[in-house]
Amino acid sequence: QVQLQESGPGLVKPSQTLSLTCTVSGDSISSGTYYWTWIRQHPGKGLEWIGYIFYTGSTYYNPSLKSRLTISVDTSKNQFSLKLSSVTAADTAVYYCARMRMITPSEWFDPWGQGTLVTVSS
Amino acid sequence: SSELTQDPAVSVALGQTVRITCQGDGLRSYYASWYQQKPGQAPVLVIYGKNNRPSGIPDRFSGSNSGNTASLIITGAQAEDGADYYCHSRDSSGSHWVFGGGTKLTVL
């Protein structure tokens, strides 16, 4: 059974960098079948796609976050990570990692991690 | 704002059928996927592709597609189906991924 688990600080100060890691178990990031994705959900709001990474290191980012965003992969640890710089209170959200499958014209996220709340506050 | 539009709230009587819709130009070229989210939990995939259910999802969940509209249909809604439902697909340019704003389903 594939499982994803987010980890990282729950509190980040404004203007600093938010860093999260997603650890994958039950599947290999290097399999080349899936895209490894970050999604966030602001408190009481809907879902926002952040970006994805392929095991080769190829990435694709939400244009609204691209200037502040870096997603990386460590295949030796079966992990992928998110770094979001210059954070503000607007970046306070639950951050999810998820496995994405793309078989155009079908694309879907399954499974999801449990999510981790990151609060931006001084 | 989202390029996929969903009704904010829908209600259904227990045991009846409900259709939750998602509209957007990207749906003319890409299928939607649908996610169920209960309070305090991560979203769960319920429908993907033309009309596919992951293992473990009851067969009362189904999907349909027509033009720029995708629908999630629950036939014989149960109390445990009360949740938020989100659609996901591409935006109108086909270059970016977006979610609908979500529909809160209440089972009466």
PDB file of all heavy atoms in Angstrom, chain B residues 6 10 18 30-31 43 45 49 53 73 77 79-80 99-100 102:
ATOM      1  N   GLN B   6     -17.964  25.117  -9.649  1.00  0.00           N
ATOM      2  CA  GLN B   6     -18.850  24.169  -8.972  1.00  0.00           C
ATOM      3  C   GLN B   6     -19.881  24.950  -8.149  1.00  0.00           C
ATOM      4  O   GLN B   6     -19.591  26.035  -7.648  1.00  0.00           O
ATOM      5  CB  GLN B   6     -18.069  23.270  -8.007  1.00  0.00           C
ATOM      6  CG  GLN B   6     -17.042  22.368  -8.658  1.00  0.00           C
ATOM      7  CD  GLN B   6     -16.355  21.478  -7.624  1.00  0.00           C
ATOM      8  OE1 GLN B   6     -15.160  21.557  -7.419  1.00  0.00           O
ATOM      9  NE2 GLN B   6     -17.147  20.622  -6.966  1.00  0.00           N
ATOM     10  N   VAL B  10     -24.933  21.616  -2.262  1.00  0.00           N
ATOM     11  CA  VAL B  10     -26.002  20.787  -2.827  1.00  0.00           C
ATOM     12  C   VAL B  10     -26.522  19.899  -1.711  1.00  0.00           C
ATOM     13  O   VAL B  10     -25.746  19.468  -0.844  1.00  0.00           O
ATOM     14  CB  VAL B  10     -25.472  19.926  -3.995  1.00  0.00           C
ATOM     15  CG1 VAL B  10     -26.515  18.920  -4.451  1.00  0.00           C
ATOM     16  CG2 VAL B  10     -25.036  20.802  -5.161  1.00  0.00           C
ATOM     17  N   VAL B  18     -27.995  12.224  -6.597  1.00  0.00           N
ATOM     18  CA  VAL B  18     -27.548  13.608  -6.685  1.00  0.00           C
ATOM     19  C   VAL B  18     -26.457  13.721  -7.742  1.00  0.00           C
ATOM     20  O   VAL B  18     -25.656  12.807  -7.929  1.00  0.00           O
ATOM     21  CB  VAL B  18     -27.032  14.119  -5.321  1.00  0.00           C
ATOM     22  CG1 VAL B  18     -25.817  13.338  -4.849  1.00  0.00           C
ATOM     23  CG2 VAL B  18     -26.734  15.614  -5.374  1.00  0.00           C
ATOM     24  N   TYR B  30      -9.938  17.546 -21.523  1.00  0.00           N
ATOM     25  CA  TYR B  30      -9.418  16.685 -20.462  1.00  0.00           C
ATOM     26  C   TYR B  30     -10.551  16.219 -19.561  1.00  0.00           C
ATOM     27  O   TYR B  30     -11.483  16.957 -19.278  1.00  0.00           O
ATOM     28  CB  TYR B  30      -8.390  17.435 -19.616  1.00  0.00           C
ATOM     29  CG  TYR B  30      -7.137  17.804 -20.378  1.00  0.00           C
ATOM     30  CD1 TYR B  30      -7.042  19.011 -21.066  1.00  0.00           C
ATOM     31  CD2 TYR B  30      -6.047  16.934 -20.423  1.00  0.00           C
ATOM     32  CE1 TYR B  30      -5.916  19.343 -21.792  1.00  0.00           C
ATOM     33  CE2 TYR B  30      -4.901  17.265 -21.123  1.00  0.00           C
ATOM     34  CZ  TYR B  30      -4.845  18.466 -21.806  1.00  0.00           C
ATOM     35  OH  TYR B  30      -3.720  18.785 -22.514  1.00  0.00           O
ATOM     36  N   TYR B  31     -10.447  14.981 -19.088  1.00  0.00           N
ATOM     37  CA  TYR B  31     -11.413  14.491 -18.125  1.00  0.00           C
ATOM     38  C   TYR B  31     -11.159  15.124 -16.757  1.00  0.00           C
ATOM     39  O   TYR B  31     -10.043  15.507 -16.430  1.00  0.00           O
ATOM     40  CB  TYR B  31     -11.317  12.976 -17.983  1.00  0.00           C
ATOM     41  CG  TYR B  31     -11.809  12.215 -19.175  1.00  0.00           C
ATOM     42  CD1 TYR B  31     -10.957  11.423 -19.926  1.00  0.00           C
ATOM     43  CD2 TYR B  31     -13.145  12.286 -19.568  1.00  0.00           C
ATOM     44  CE1 TYR B  31     -11.410  10.708 -21.029  1.00  0.00           C
ATOM     45  CE2 TYR B  31     -13.609  11.582 -20.672  1.00  0.00           C
ATOM     46  CZ  TYR B  31     -12.736  10.798 -21.391  1.00  0.00           C
ATOM     47  OH  TYR B  31     -13.185  10.096 -22.475  1.00  0.00           O
ATOM     48  N   PRO B  43      -8.133  14.815   1.075  1.00  0.00           N
ATOM     49  CA  PRO B  43      -9.030  14.395  -0.010  1.00  0.00           C
ATOM     50  C   PRO B  43      -8.759  12.952  -0.430  1.00  0.00           C
ATOM     51  O   PRO B  43      -7.629  12.467  -0.313  1.00  0.00           O
ATOM     52  CB  PRO B  43      -8.670  15.369  -1.141  1.00  0.00           C
ATOM     53  CG  PRO B  43      -8.111  16.566  -0.448  1.00  0.00           C
ATOM     54  CD  PRO B  43      -7.365  16.006   0.728  1.00  0.00           C
ATOM     55  N   LEU B  45      -9.554  10.273  -3.722  1.00  0.00           N
ATOM     56  CA  LEU B  45     -10.000  10.137  -5.111  1.00  0.00           C
ATOM     57  C   LEU B  45     -11.225   9.234  -5.175  1.00  0.00           C
ATOM     58  O   LEU B  45     -11.204   8.125  -4.634  1.00  0.00           O
ATOM     59  CB  LEU B  45      -8.865   9.547  -5.950  1.00  0.00           C
ATOM     60  CG  LEU B  45      -9.161   9.237  -7.412  1.00  0.00           C
ATOM     61  CD1 LEU B  45      -9.320  10.533  -8.210  1.00  0.00           C
ATOM     62  CD2 LEU B  45      -8.042   8.375  -8.010  1.00  0.00           C
ATOM     63  N   GLY B  49     -10.754   9.771 -14.928  1.00  0.00           N
ATOM     64  CA  GLY B  49     -10.901   9.365 -16.322  1.00  0.00           C
ATOM     65  C   GLY B  49     -12.332   9.468 -16.810  1.00  0.00           C
ATOM     66  O   GLY B  49     -13.136  10.236 -16.291  1.00  0.00           O
ATOM     67  N   ARG B  53     -13.526   4.140 -11.065  1.00  0.00           N
ATOM     68  CA  ARG B  53     -13.502   4.212  -9.615  1.00  0.00           C
ATOM     69  C   ARG B  53     -12.281   3.478  -9.078  1.00  0.00           C
ATOM     70  O   ARG B  53     -12.014   2.343  -9.471  1.00  0.00           O
ATOM     71  CB  ARG B  53     -14.759   3.552  -9.018  1.00  0.00           C
ATOM     72  CG  ARG B  53     -16.001   4.411  -9.003  1.00  0.00           C
ATOM     73  CD  ARG B  53     -17.199   3.627  -8.461  1.00  0.00           C
ATOM     74  NE  ARG B  53     -17.607   2.549  -9.331  1.00  0.00           N
ATOM     75  CZ  ARG B  53     -17.365   1.255  -9.109  1.00  0.00           C
ATOM     76  NH1 ARG B  53     -16.721   0.894  -8.020  1.00  0.00           N
ATOM     77  NH2 ARG B  53     -17.784   0.341  -9.963  1.00  0.00           N
ATOM     78  N   ILE B  73     -21.922  11.680  -9.993  1.00  0.00           N
ATOM     79  CA  ILE B  73     -23.272  11.224  -9.684  1.00  0.00           C
ATOM     80  C   ILE B  73     -23.195  10.221  -8.542  1.00  0.00           C
ATOM     81  O   ILE B  73     -22.390   9.285  -8.584  1.00  0.00           O
ATOM     82  CB  ILE B  73     -23.908  10.575 -10.923  1.00  0.00           C
ATOM     83  CG1 ILE B  73     -23.942  11.589 -12.074  1.00  0.00           C
ATOM     84  CG2 ILE B  73     -25.326  10.086 -10.600  1.00  0.00           C
ATOM     85  CD1 ILE B  73     -24.012  10.946 -13.433  1.00  0.00           C
ATOM     86  N   ALA B  77     -27.690   8.055  -2.322  1.00  0.00           N
ATOM     87  CA  ALA B  77     -26.756   8.697  -1.395  1.00  0.00           C
ATOM     88  C   ALA B  77     -26.940   8.171   0.032  1.00  0.00           C
ATOM     89  O   ALA B  77     -28.066   7.975   0.510  1.00  0.00           O
ATOM     90  CB  ALA B  77     -26.947  10.208  -1.432  1.00  0.00           C
ATOM     91  N   ALA B  79     -25.642   8.507   4.256  1.00  0.00           N
ATOM     92  CA  ALA B  79     -25.284   9.564   5.215  1.00  0.00           C
ATOM     93  C   ALA B  79     -23.790   9.848   5.187  1.00  0.00           C
ATOM     94  O   ALA B  79     -23.367  11.012   5.297  1.00  0.00           O
ATOM     95  CB  ALA B  79     -25.728   9.162   6.621  1.00  0.00           C
ATOM     96  N   GLU B  80     -22.998   8.790   4.987  1.00  0.00           N
ATOM     97  CA  GLU B  80     -21.535   8.961   5.003  1.00  0.00           C
ATOM     98  C   GLU B  80     -21.010   9.665   3.756  1.00  0.00           C
ATOM     99  O   GLU B  80     -19.819   9.986   3.685  1.00  0.00           O
ATOM    100  CB  GLU B  80     -20.831   7.617   5.181  1.00  0.00           C
ATOM    101  CG  GLU B  80     -21.094   6.608   4.079  1.00  0.00           C
ATOM    102  CD  GLU B  80     -22.216   5.652   4.435  1.00  0.00           C
ATOM    103  OE1 GLU B  80     -23.154   6.060   5.163  1.00  0.00           O
ATOM    104  OE2 GLU B  80     -22.159   4.486   3.972  1.00  0.00           O
ATOM    105  N   PHE B  99      -8.246  23.225  -9.573  1.00  0.00           N
ATOM    106  CA  PHE B  99      -9.341  22.569  -8.868  1.00  0.00           C
ATOM    107  C   PHE B  99     -10.571  23.465  -8.931  1.00  0.00           C
ATOM    108  O   PHE B  99     -10.460  24.694  -8.964  1.00  0.00           O
ATOM    109  CB  PHE B  99      -8.987  22.343  -7.398  1.00  0.00           C
ATOM    110  CG  PHE B  99      -7.976  21.268  -7.166  1.00  0.00           C
ATOM    111  CD1 PHE B  99      -6.624  21.564  -7.102  1.00  0.00           C
ATOM    112  CD2 PHE B  99      -8.375  19.943  -6.988  1.00  0.00           C
ATOM    113  CE1 PHE B  99      -5.682  20.573  -6.874  1.00  0.00           C
ATOM    114  CE2 PHE B  99      -7.447  18.941  -6.758  1.00  0.00           C
ATOM    115  CZ  PHE B  99      -6.096  19.257  -6.701  1.00  0.00           C
ATOM    116  N   GLY B 100     -11.735  22.846  -8.901  1.00  0.00           N
ATOM    117  CA  GLY B 100     -12.948  23.609  -8.711  1.00  0.00           C
ATOM    118  C   GLY B 100     -13.019  24.114  -7.284  1.00  0.00           C
ATOM    119  O   GLY B 100     -12.258  23.679  -6.419  1.00  0.00           O
ATOM    120  N   GLY B 102     -15.169  23.592  -5.080  1.00  0.00           N
ATOM    121  CA  GLY B 102     -15.712  22.632  -4.130  1.00  0.00           C
ATOM    122  C   GLY B 102     -17.217  22.753  -3.956  1.00  0.00           C
ATOM    123  O   GLY B 102     -17.784  23.851  -4.068  1.00  0.00           O
TER     124      GLY B 102
END
